[in-house]
Amino acid sequence: MAIKRVGVIGCGLMGSGIAQVAAQAGFPTIVVEANEALLERGLGGLRATLDGLAARGKLEARAKDEILGHVRGTVHLEDLSDVDLVVEAITENQPVKNETFARLDRICPPHAILASNTSSCNVTAMAAATKRPEQVLGLHFFNPVPLMKLVEVARTILTSEATVTTATEWVRALGKVPVQTKDSTAFIVNRLLVPYLLDAVRIYEGGIASLEDIDQAMKLGCGYPMGPFTLLDLVGLDTAMFVAEVMFEEFREPRYAPPPLLKRMVMAGHLGRKSGRGFYSY
Ligand SMILES: NC(=O)c1ccc[n+]([C@@H]2O[C@H](COP(=O)([O-])OP(=O)(O)OC[C@H]3O[C@@H](n4cnc5c(N)ncnc54)[C@H](O)[C@@H]3O)[C@@H](O)[C@H]2O)c1
């Protein structure tokens, strides 16, 4: 099966980006939000991004109109009754995601593939909430979606080979690079990245080096584009702690446990760039 029509649920940070890249690749895309105000905010953000690209000469006006012409917004999940693939990008909450997948299963055509962009929820539980578990998988995009090339294609023990193949081809059609992984909490990238970030906090907490020197060391010593504290501030300390807690809950390994300093910074409201202060001040 080839994907022709796409649905995206949630038009926040990730959903708007996924809708944008799907529309840019020529797929008629329906975006579902929780209410009209949130839909307008999400689509407004998408329009502003395209306007910005056009203003900088990176997108022709005609191409911009064509992309916007491929996107339709709705607040009714029922409008996904004729799509071939849905990418769910709603709030990171397992029961809400499970319930959404159960509803999608009743609404979408029998052949449709249901994918989740979750970072840490259990895709197998979402699959089990449907009567088509072999057509459910994770498609994990990275932020900012239009710029980041990688998509982790995460199969559960129930996903069929045909579903993986079709979804992987669709990821390539978006101009992205797929990597294959299993539905295991945090997949590949966060499984490696999160303990690294937590260890950086532990080194700092232990008084071994300054924030600036740890960042500098990882940039110049490993060729990373930014150090761990700059990255933590960008990701959001609350988001990093949330993912760490889910990983700790799953694997029960100390290296995934959020260090005391990280917890206290979140309690203090020092969440990173978004709150104006994290490990650095903005
Ligand atoms: N932010 C990241 O860097 C990142 C990266 C990869 C994956 N993810 C995952 O993507 C998903 C979305 O994250 P985000 O950062 O875009 O969050 P976000 O809060 O920016 O967006 C979520 C959107 O979903 C909407 N929503 C919630 N419930 C809904 C429902 N029932 N129906 C329709 N819309 C609904 C919300 O109104 C909101 O606009 C999460 O599962 C997250 O783990 C996030």
Side-chain angles (χ1 to χ4, degrees), residues 172-232:
R172 286 205 184 94
L174 300 182
K176 302 290 182 200
V177 178
V179 290
Q180 305 294 330
T181 179
K182 289 181 179 164
D183 171 34
S184 170
T185 302
F187 308 131
I188 303 169
V189 172
N190 283 336
R191 182 86 174 255
L192 292 170
L193 181 62
V194 172
Y196 155 71
L197 295 175
L198 299 179
D199 272 346
V201 177
R202 287 185 190 106
I203 289 178
Y204 173 60
E205 204 174 22
I208 292 162
S210 69
L211 295 177
E212 291 81 3
D213 280 357
I214 297 170
D215 269 359
Q216 188 75 300
M218 294 314 290
K219 268 168 69 181
L220 301 184
C222 291
Y224 288 2
M226 64 182 88
F229 296 105
T230 307
L231 182 56
L232 274 164

Side-chain angles (χ1 to χ4, degrees), residues 26-239:
F27 294 96
T29 303
I30 305 181
V31 187
V32 188
E33 250 298 346
N35 62 49
E36 292 287 352
L38 290 167
L39 179 63
E40 195 32 58
R41 193 188 66 177
L43 291 179
L46 199 163
R47 271 184 233 114
T49 303
L50 295 177
D51 283 342
L53 288 173
R56 292 198 302 279
K58 292 187 171 168
L59 188 69
E60 281 181 24
R62 215 187 53 192
K64 186 189 86 177
D65 293 342
E66 218 167 275
I67 295 166
L68 288 173
H70 286 316
V71 180
R72 182 160 78 81
T74 178
V75 295
H76 305 293
L77 209 61
E78 289 72 17
D79 289 340
L80 299 182
S81 61
D82 65 347
V83 299
D84 305 304
L85 168 79
V86 177
V87 183
E88 167 275 310
I90 67 173
T91 320
E92 189 78 337
N93 176 308
Q94 185 83 56
V96 177
K97 286 192 193 276
N98 294 352
E99 168 59 24
T100 300
F101 272 70
R103 283 186 65 200
L104 283 173
D105 187 39
R106 295 193 288 271
I107 292 166
C108 297
H111 70 269
I113 292 174
L114 310 180
S116 175
N117 182 50
T118 183
S119 296
S120 58
C121 289
N122 191 311
V123 184
T124 309
M126 297 176 222
T130 74
K131 294 194 176 71
R132 61 178 92 188
E134 68 288 351
Q135 288 158 236
V136 176
L137 79 173
L139 287 180
H140 188 227
F141 290 77
F142 289 77
N143 179 35
V145 178
L147 298 182
M148 297 293 279
K149 282 279 183 200
L150 184 70
V151 178
E152 291 176 316
V153 178
R155 73 180 74 198
T156 77
I157 50 175
L158 302 165
T159 314
S160 73
E161 210 50 51
T163 297
V164 173
T165 302
T166 304
T168 303
E169 279 167 11
W170 181 71
V171 166
R172 286 205 184 94
L174 300 182
K176 302 290 182 200
V177 178
V179 290
Q180 305 294 330
T181 179
K182 289 181 179 164
D183 171 34
S184 170
T185 302
F187 308 131
I188 303 169
V189 172
N190 283 336
R191 182 86 174 255
L192 292 170
L193 181 62
V194 172
Y196 155 71
L197 295 175
L198 299 179
D199 272 346
V201 177
R202 287 185 190 106
I203 289 178
Y204 173 60
E205 204 174 22
I208 292 162
S210 69
L211 295 177
E212 291 81 3
D213 280 357
I214 297 170
D215 269 359
Q216 188 75 300
M218 294 314 290
K219 268 168 69 181
L220 301 184
C222 291
Y224 288 2
M226 64 182 88
F229 296 105
T230 307
L231 182 56
L232 274 164
D233 278 357
L234 196 64
V235 168
L237 272 56
D238 51 342
T239 304

